[in-house]
Amino acid sequence: MKNKLKKIIHVSLKESALIEEDLINTFEIEINQSTQSDHGDFSSNIALKISGKANMKPLKVAEIISKTIQRPEWLRKIEVAPPGFINFYVDDRTKADLLISIIEQENNYGSFPANSQDSILLEFVSSNPTGPLHVGHGRHAAYGDSLAKILRKAGHTVSCEYYINDSGRQIDILILSVLVALINKKESLLTVPNACYQGSYIGSLTEVIPKQAITEINKLSLSDLKLKEADDDSEADALISIIKASIGESVFEKITGAVVDKMLKVIKSDLSNFGVEFDHWFSEKTMIKHSKIDLALQKLKTKKALFNKDGAAWLKTTDYGDDKDRVVLRDDGRSTYFASDIAYHADKKERGFDKLINILGSDHHGYINRLKGGLASMDFDPEDLEIVLMQFVTLYRGKKKVQMSTRSGEFIPMKELYEEVGIDAARFIYVNRSYDQHLDFDLDLAKEQSNLNPVYYIQYAHARISSVMKEIEKKGYKNDHGLGIKNIGYLDSKHESEIISMLQKYPDIIKTSAEQRAVNKLSNYLKDIAQLFHSYYGKQKFVIDEDETRNARVILLRCVSIVIKDGLSLLGVSAPSKM
RNA sequence: GCGCCCGUAGCUCAACUGGAUAGAGCAUCAGCCUUCUAAGCUGAGGGUUUCAGGUUCGAGUCCUGACGGGCGCGCCA
């Protein structure tokens, strides 16, 4: 429709000779869907744009263009409005075509042809398996999952991936925390070091330690341990070394395997119960096993991309806009986290994805140029990597801010949140705010007044439509699709044209939501269409004797229901038929 | 100090990447259920879009500066 109008205007611009023909293509002909019914169904601002070049007042230009246009049959009216907009009104036939196609396509309405776009690897959450996911991760999970669904609907091939940081110091500290908890289970002999994780989940992790390992742990000389106060990471490292030496690396490894495995199971089930599924779980440990990091470093060395300073190997990321150069290989020979990330992201590209999107917390913004530099050093286009920086979730209980820290165990798990406020409400609240906006999540409000959540407003619209349909059936009225289509002309009230126009917007919303990674555009759209429906519902009756009007309205309701249900499903929210 | 993000009604947020009269919910006030679900509808009040300049037919949106808030600036992950 928009393209048809664009062509019409283009022809008119040529014929009217308002501006030189060469200039015509320098202006993008914009067609907007009108927000208000008295602005027609579509409008164009082209007259405002070219008035300067045409040396005429915009209104005059608009009049000339609209007079030059050879009005096709399907355009009911063309109107000029100050300061120079041209408004288009389409005919009933066109509207009927739209409604017919929505009903035919059902949940495919608004979808773009698959594989018509780039293939995307979408990485999100990727929280270290050192603790359960908390409410902050919930935002990432809800947003990432919805974005993936929207991107797919917009025609992209998307693979969702979770990077498991299952190797390195943080994991060692997790094991240390579990071991301390295990020893303290019998009698509290050890002071829990500050560096350790301290949530209540640590205690339950002790249960997965293999029996054989427990006998080794029991042999530990507690006097060595008791003296240590591991308050920072390096002191924790020392303590870990002692334990590793006493019980043996392989036993320590076994414990690590069991604990991480258990932790991952918890994370996976929390996500899955929240409706978030990943296509692939990528293990850092496995990557190391396959020497991927060594190979990446080798490649950088061969390319002479690294330089030595203070005994370490550095990558000159300042060439790519980073603040400073970064170490990839420490003076003790161990590779850094950054080295893992270079190898990991190169691997993503090697797997053939056109575009890599990472959803990261806003505290990672300093990481963007570094990571792009890493990709570029590996001969990939840094433009292929896109980072979506998610702002923080601030948790409130009423007016009181809830402090959060994973280390100290002071956090509200994501699971607790969605079990209490409900998955639908939680997912909607998470996603209804733009990702670059801070989110204040008030637990009390979400729990106590969950009825006030906009998600119920949208779901209620869907339930009401289902209810009307049931009632029509109950009263024994005959549903006649053809009769409804024939009488689409009856849908000429303000409410009805506004709803039709809103329905028509859906594909555009999918497109912009996908392009701008703006999941909240979809959620806001759903609120808008629900609002139009509720207002319409208050004004009109649907269970009526008149066959023509009833069947026409039923078609409209079915379309609204289809779009709401599909939109909600993209957000991971259910569309109940009864509430 | 430097860098990134943000600032819209009393509160929480929209505004289709520059368009027409800046819109919703909550809260306040006034109405609407013997009739399809009142988790709803209708109406009222509430704004110098933090401030000061600039760009143009047109600015909440773009540019510059100030003020206010969040985050970051490790051979941590």
Side-chain angles (χ1 to χ4, degrees):
Chain A
M1 186 63 58
K2 283 190 180 180
N3 286 333
K4 279 194 209 162
L5 287 167
K6 273 183 200 174
K7 269 182 205 148
I8 288 171
I9 289 178
H10 192 82
V11 170
S12 157
L13 283 177
K14 269 192 185 166
E15 284 178 7
S16 62
L18 281 159
I19 53 172
E20 290 171 44
E21 207 166 324
D22 301 348
L23 279 175
I24 293 177
N25 289 325
T26 63
F27 290 97
E28 192 207 341
I29 300 173
E30 253 180 273
I31 304 289
N32 289 304
Q33 219 176 321
S34 308
T35 42
Q36 288 171 56
S37 54
D38 53 335
H39 291 163
D41 298 303
F42 296 92
S43 70
S44 178
N45 58 2
I46 190 68
L48 293 155
K49 279 188 162 178
I50 65 168
S51 74
K53 284 272 186 278
N55 244 326
M56 261 183 261
K57 289 222 167 107
L59 202 59
K60 181 85 185 161
V61 175
E63 269 161 18
I64 292 173
I65 293 174
S66 80
K67 269 180 201 150
T68 321
I69 289 174
Q70 305 263 317
R71 186 170 61 83
E73 223 176 275
W74 52 270
L75 268 184
R76 187 159 54 86
K77 193 163 74 167
I78 302 172
E79 199 178 60
V80 171
F85 289 100
I86 305 171
N87 297 331
F88 301 94
Y89 294 77
V90 299
D91 71 348
D92 291 345
R93 178 69 224 172
T94 309
K95 289 181 181 175
D97 286 346
L98 170 74
L99 300 183
I100 292 167
S101 94
I102 293 175
I103 287 174
E104 273 174 4
Q105 295 179 68
E106 228 178 327
N107 59 355
N108 279 322
Y109 174 62
S111 297
F112 292 77
N115 299 319
S116 63
Q117 314 269 356
D118 287 352
S119 71
I120 297 174
L121 179 63
L122 182 64
E123 184 203 337
F124 58 104
V125 186
S126 294
S127 164
N128 288 358
T130 51
L133 301 174
H134 58 65
V135 291
H137 300 122
R139 186 176 191 190
H140 288 243
Y143 172 85
D145 183 64
S146 296
L147 181 61
K149 290 183 163 111
I150 292 168
L151 287 170
R152 287 186 185 119
K153 193 166 174 87
H156 297 273
T157 305
V158 182
S159 183
C160 294
E161 188 157 293
Y162 188 115
Y163 179 76
I164 310 165
N165 216 291
D166 50 4
S167 139
R169 178 189 276 165
Q170 293 311 316
I171 293 294
D172 284 348
I173 291 178
L174 171 72
I175 303 308
L176 173 66
S177 314
V178 173
L179 293 183
V180 169
L182 178 74
I183 293 165
N184 280 346
K185 239 182 186 174
K186 288 189 285 190
E187 0 170 17
S188 294
L189 294 167
L190 300 172
T191 328
V192 180
N194 282 336
C196 281
Y197 295 96
Q198 292 176 22
S200 57
Y201 66 96
I202 293 291
S204 55
L205 285 176
T206 58
E207 288 159 21
V208 302
I209 300 176
K211 280 211 176 90
Q212 172 218 350
I214 291 181
T215 45
E216 291 298 324
I217 295 158
N218 287 337
K219 287 186 213 155
L220 272 176
S221 159
L222 290 180
S223 56
D224 283 351
L225 296 176
K226 244 186 281 184
L227 297 174
K228 290 278 177 189
E229 287 278 347
D231 284 342
D232 62 31
D233 287 355
S234 63
E235 283 165 352
D237 284 348
L239 194 43
I240 289 162
S241 302
I242 293 175
I243 294 176
K244 277 186 180 172
S246 321
I247 66 174
E249 287 273 356
S250 73
V251 175
F252 195 90
E253 272 301 301
K254 272 201 182 110
I255 302 172
T256 305
V259 169
V260 169
D261 206 50
K262 170 69 185 169
M263 207 57 251
L264 273 175
K265 265 189 194 140
V266 171
I267 288 173
K268 284 183 185 180
S269 94
D270 284 359
L271 286 169
S272 153
N273 291 334
F274 197 40
V276 177
E277 303 285 350
F278 283 87
D279 301 296
H280 190 219
W281 296 73
F282 188 98
S283 155
E284 182 186 20
K285 206 172 184 173
T286 309
M287 180 172 74
I288 294 169
K289 218 187 269 170
H290 295 336
S291 315
K292 290 259 169 82
I293 298 175
D294 293 341
L295 288 171
L297 290 176
Q298 200 52 52
K299 182 171 177 184
L300 291 176
K301 243 179 246 169
T302 319
K303 285 190 57 207
K304 300 203 186 325
L306 302 179
F307 67 94
N308 289 308
K309 200 178 93 186
D310 305 329
W314 300 65
L315 181 64
K316 202 160 173 49
T317 50
T318 44
D319 286 351
Y320 307 99
D322 198 0
D323 303 340
K324 45 186 91 169
D325 296 325
R326 308 289 167 176
V327 169
V328 291
L329 211 54
R330 284 180 262 244
D331 53 7
D332 62 4
R334 286 150 57 230
S335 60
T336 59
Y337 184 80
F338 180 44
S340 294
D341 258 339
I342 293 174
Y344 175 41
H345 285 83
D347 182 76
K348 286 180 177 177
K349 281 301 294 181
E350 278 157 12
R351 278 184 274 154
F353 291 98
D354 299 312
K355 188 146 189 100
L356 314 178
I357 303 180
N358 288 16
I359 301 170
L360 298 175
S362 62
D363 53 335
H364 285 70
H365 65 74
Y367 212 69
I368 298 176
N369 288 331
R370 190 184 323 182
L371 209 44
K372 289 195 172 198
L375 260 186
S377 310
M378 294 290 284
D379 296 332
F380 293 109
D381 186 353
E383 293 298 308
D384 291 344
L385 175 67
E386 178 186 327
I387 311 277
V388 175
L389 284 182
M390 181 80 67
Q391 290 296 320
F392 281 19
V393 177
T394 317
L395 209 52
Y396 286 86
R397 283 201 186 280
K399 295 223 159 147
K400 249 178 82 187
K401 203 168 166 176
V402 180
Q403 292 300 328
M404 299 236 297
S405 152
T406 313
R407 243 343 140 75
S408 66
E410 286 175 47
F411 59 84
I412 310 288
M414 168 179 127
K415 186 182 175 189
E416 186 181 316
L417 182 136
Y418 70 66
E419 280 180 351
E420 292 198 39
V421 313
I423 288 171
D424 287 344
R427 286 201 61 154
F428 195 88
I429 291 172
Y430 271 138
V431 127
N432 193 34
R433 201 109 314 144
S434 177
Y435 64 80
D436 57 7
Q437 208 80 29
H438 290 265
L439 172 61
D440 288 330
F441 202 122
D442 186 335
L443 285 167
D444 286 350
L445 199 78
K447 279 182 218 165
E448 290 167 22
Q449 298 183 287
S450 60
N451 300 14
L452 301 177
N453 191 299
V455 73
Y456 297 104
Y457 185 77
I458 299 165
Q459 288 180 321
Y460 187 43
H462 185 266
R464 270 183 152 175
I465 293 173
S466 304
S467 181
V468 168
M469 301 304 187
K470 251 176 257 160
E471 201 61 27
I472 284 174
E473 206 177 316
K474 212 166 93 188
K475 290 263 163 72
Y477 291 116
K478 203 176 106 212
N479 264 336
D480 189 333
H481 183 69
L483 189 65
I485 293 295
K486 224 158 86 192
N487 292 291
I488 291 294
Y490 279 91
L491 304 176
D492 60 352
S493 72
K494 196 172 175 222
H495 280 114
E496 284 153 342
S497 3
E498 278 175 355
I499 290 175
I500 292 170
S501 161
M502 190 63 91
L503 288 168
Q504 181 150 34
K505 271 183 171 178
Y506 189 58
D508 278 353
I509 294 290
I510 296 298
K511 195 161 162 253
T512 31
S513 290
E515 276 171 2
Q516 300 175 18
R517 325 296 185 218
V519 177
N520 64 309
K521 299 244 187 231
L522 176 59
S523 65
N524 279 311
Y525 168 82
L526 293 174
K527 275 199 271 189
D528 286 345
I529 197 165
Q531 184 173 24
L532 283 180
F533 166 75
H534 283 306
S535 177
Y536 178 46
Y537 181 93
K539 191 113 186 190
Q540 293 290 8
K541 305 280 296 167
F542 305 96
V543 186
I544 49 173
D545 289 335
E546 235 184 301
D547 288 335
E548 287 83 2
T549 315
R550 190 187 64 248
N551 280 298
R553 286 181 185 160
V554 161
I555 284 177
L556 187 59
L557 291 195
R558 279 178 68 189
C559 291
V560 172
S561 172
I562 286 168
V563 166
I564 288 182
K565 187 175 180 180
D566 186 60
L568 285 178
S569 81
L570 296 174
L571 302 181
V573 175
S574 69
S577 55
K578 209 162 55 177
M579 283 176 77

